[in-house]
Amino acid sequence: MYFQTDNLSVGYCGKALIKNINIGVEKGKILCLLGPNGSGKSTILKSISRHLKKIAGTVFIAKEDMNNLNSVEVAKRLSVVLTEKVAPELMTCEEVVATGRYPYTNHFGKLTDEDHRIIEESMAAVSVLDLMDNEFSHLSDGQKQRVLLARAICQQPEIIILDEPTSYLDIRHKIELLGILRKMAVNQKVTVILSLHEVDLAAKLADTIILVKDNSVYGSGCPEDVLSDTVIKKLYGIEAGSFNMLMGSVELPKTCQTEPKVFVFGGDGYGTRCYRALHKRGISFCTGVLYHNDVDYQVAMSLARQTIFEKSFRPISDVIYEQACKAMLNCKVIIDTGFDLDGVTNRNRQLLELAYNTNKPILSLRKQPQKTKANIQYFNDIGSMISCEKLMLESGEKISISMCS
């Protein structure tokens, strides 16, 4: 391992909060700490970067004890971006970034042309070159975060340690930041150690995951092997709602537990947006027939009162079809999300035709044909469908349906 700890104990005022931490990461790889607030992630990062005095144990860089390195040697090999807000007085962004070059300057701190080139390249890498002359204290939190990352890059470290670097960043800059870290690891063989709150991003970014909970290391390993829906629920103590590792999505707790009065035809990803729109309105629904490998199945299992599904890559069986018929006929309104109707043996198509023939009110997101049936209402988008069909909750239990005129 290029960077590793041996029986490290960390804490405050001489009292160990987390003991016997043995973690390691190879050169050019990314290690990510995951865990709830207050679990000790920041304490570990501060301790291995020497911002906090460790209680016991050893930290190695390339098998060399960090205790044997002076501050300048450490600064040349390791850069740090922590969560604490820094407030340098009257310094421009360029000057803040330039402090990353000081381990390489002479006693007078004079910057060379090469230093200035590295400063500009570092700022350009995180899209803050246009802020070069701005006063750092006047920036937004997200801009400050990117400037501090530029400073860390400017050090040209062998190891970069970041504590929740995506905090305050919008989605564009979050993606750019993590992309930069991945490129640094792959192209420049920089070892990256960081903490994140975004479980889905951690799974996509990290080579190794360390799970921290209740002031202890809860688990570690390759994210594909370590992370699962069950592990995430235990790690964060999720009792309501769900996190889906496969989709990388969070679904809020079900808002209605009454018997469903709405049947949603989903499939091919058409159903998910409808599921969430109904869920937000507190409307209980059932859906089907989905296949186990369909993207809609993942969300339906979290939000629907009942999900009728068939195993992947096989025709819908008579048993499943009859189950769907029963559920649909018990509902007061049908939502057709525009799923695939191709094939005369398509049993979902047959199911929808049954709804036509039994005069169930059908709200459809398909393109309206020239000839329509009286019980079908067509809509161009989900928003207008949800508001126009007037699904009203009465006493928190019963749903009454009135078609638009």
Side-chain angles (χ1 to χ4, degrees):
M1 292 293 178
Y2 182 72
F3 181 95
Q4 64 184 120
T5 66
D6 180 33
N7 292 326
L8 179 67
S9 294
V10 301
Y12 297 89
C13 302
K15 182 180 179 180
L17 296 179
I18 310 177
K19 299 178 180 179
N20 302 321
I21 304 168
N22 295 288
I23 60 177
V25 57
E26 297 176 0
K27 189 175 181 61
K29 300 297 182 180
I30 298 178
L31 182 148
C32 180
L33 302 180
L34 277 180
N37 290 330
S39 59
K41 301 186 302 297
S42 296
T43 305
I44 293 174
L45 294 179
K46 289 176 184 177
S47 299
I48 64 178
S49 62
R50 299 210 311 197
H51 284 71
L52 182 67
K53 186 177 180 180
K54 65 183 187 294
I55 306 300
T58 311
V59 179
F60 296 95
I61 297 179
K63 298 183 179 180
E64 186 171 4
D65 188 341
M66 278 185 67
N67 285 338
N68 299 329
L69 303 175
N70 62 39
S71 58
V72 173
E73 289 172 327
V74 171
K76 287 181 178 180
R77 303 177 75 171
L78 185 150
S79 63
V80 184
V81 180
L82 298 177
T83 53
E84 283 82 359
K85 292 183 180 179
V86 296
E89 294 293 333
L90 303 177
M91 290 182 69
T92 66
C93 293
E94 182 183 15
E95 291 169 337
V96 171
V97 175
T99 60
R101 296 305 302 163
Y102 289 160
Y104 302 93
T105 60
N106 57 30
H107 293 298
F108 299 101
K110 182 176 176 59
L111 298 173
T112 65
D113 290 342
E114 177 68 6
D115 290 323
H116 285 293
R117 181 188 65 78
I118 294 171
I119 291 167
E120 288 193 14
E121 288 181 353
S122 301
M123 297 185 75
V126 292
S127 304
V128 292
L129 196 57
D130 59 324
L131 302 176
M132 179 176 285
D133 297 323
N134 292 32
E135 190 172 327
F136 181 82
S137 61
H138 293 169
L139 302 182
S140 69
D141 286 337
Q143 290 172 324
K144 288 178 180 177
Q145 191 83 338
R146 288 187 283 137
V147 170
L148 294 177
L149 177 61
R151 182 185 67 176
I153 294 173
C154 193
Q155 282 182 235
Q156 295 184 317
E158 298 173 11
I159 302 167
I160 184 168
I161 296 176
L162 309 101
D163 192 8
E164 300 177 17
T166 54
S167 298
Y168 313 117
L169 297 184
D170 59 36
I171 185 63
R172 171 199 159 186
H173 292 109
K174 191 174 293 189
I175 293 171
E176 287 182 356
L177 164 63
L178 299 183
I180 289 166
L181 295 178
R182 173 49 67 185
K183 286 181 180 178
M184 290 174 67
V186 173
N187 299 334
Q188 302 168 35
K189 297 302 178 184
V190 174
T191 301
V192 180
I193 303 171
L194 77 164
S195 63
L196 288 175
H197 277 306
E198 299 90 342
V199 179
D200 56 324
L201 294 180
K204 297 177 178 73
L205 176 73
D207 298 295
T208 302
I209 292 285
I210 303 293
L211 305 179
V212 185
K213 181 183 181 183
D214 298 331
N215 294 323
S216 65
V217 175
Y218 180 74
S220 64
C222 173
E224 289 77 14
D225 296 328
V226 171
L227 298 179
S228 67
D229 298 356
T230 301
V231 167
I232 294 304
K233 290 190 76 169
K234 289 182 179 179
L235 179 65
Y236 289 96
I238 299 173
E239 297 180 357
S242 64
F243 180 83
N244 187 299
M245 274 303 305
L246 182 63
M247 302 288 292
S249 64
V250 174
E251 302 300 339
L252 301 181
K254 294 179 183 178
T255 53
C256 184
Q257 298 293 337
T258 59
E259 286 302 308
K261 298 293 188 279
V262 178
F263 186 93
V264 182
F265 279 99
D268 302 324
Y270 286 91
T272 293
R273 293 180 301 160
C274 279
Y275 301 156
R276 289 175 176 156
L278 291 168
H279 176 255
K280 283 185 286 187
R281 292 173 66 92
I283 298 173
S284 182
F285 65 93
C286 57
T287 185
V289 176
L290 302 176
Y291 282 99
H292 192 268
N293 63 341
D294 196 301
V295 64
D296 284 341
Y297 169 83
Q298 303 294 332
V299 179
M301 290 299 290
S302 295
L303 302 183
R305 189 74 171 86
Q306 179 186 12
T307 301
I308 302 156
F309 64 93
E310 181 59 271
K311 293 181 179 179
S312 305
F313 309 114
R314 64 185 64 188
I316 296 173
S317 67
D318 291 341
V319 172
I320 298 299
Y321 181 75
E322 290 301 323
Q323 184 182 351
C325 286
K326 181 179 178 181
M328 184 192 70
L329 293 174
N330 283 336
C331 289
K332 291 187 175 181
V333 67
I334 311 300
I335 293 179
D336 171 13
T337 62
F339 65 94
D340 183 15
L341 286 177
D342 289 344
V344 294
T345 60
N346 184 328
R347 302 203 83 171
N348 274 329
R349 176 178 184 151
Q350 296 171 10
L351 197 62
L352 183 60
E353 289 174 350
L354 177 62
Y356 293 157
N357 296 331
T358 53
N359 289 318
K360 289 283 185 181
I362 299 173
L363 313 174
S364 178
L365 290 167
R366 297 182 189 279
K367 184 178 179 180
Q368 184 171 351
Q370 291 183 343
K371 293 183 179 180
T372 63
K373 295 188 177 182
N375 60 326
I376 306 176
Q377 198 79 25
Y378 291 91
F379 301 90
N380 293 322
D381 55 76
I382 292 174
S384 60
M385 180 190 71
I386 290 294
S387 58
C388 190
E389 44 85 0
K390 303 185 190 306
L391 294 171
M392 303 297 292
L393 290 176
E394 296 178 357
S395 303
E397 298 179 358
K398 191 182 296 183
I399 301 173
S400 64
I401 293 90
S402 60
M403 299 296 291
C404 295
S405 56

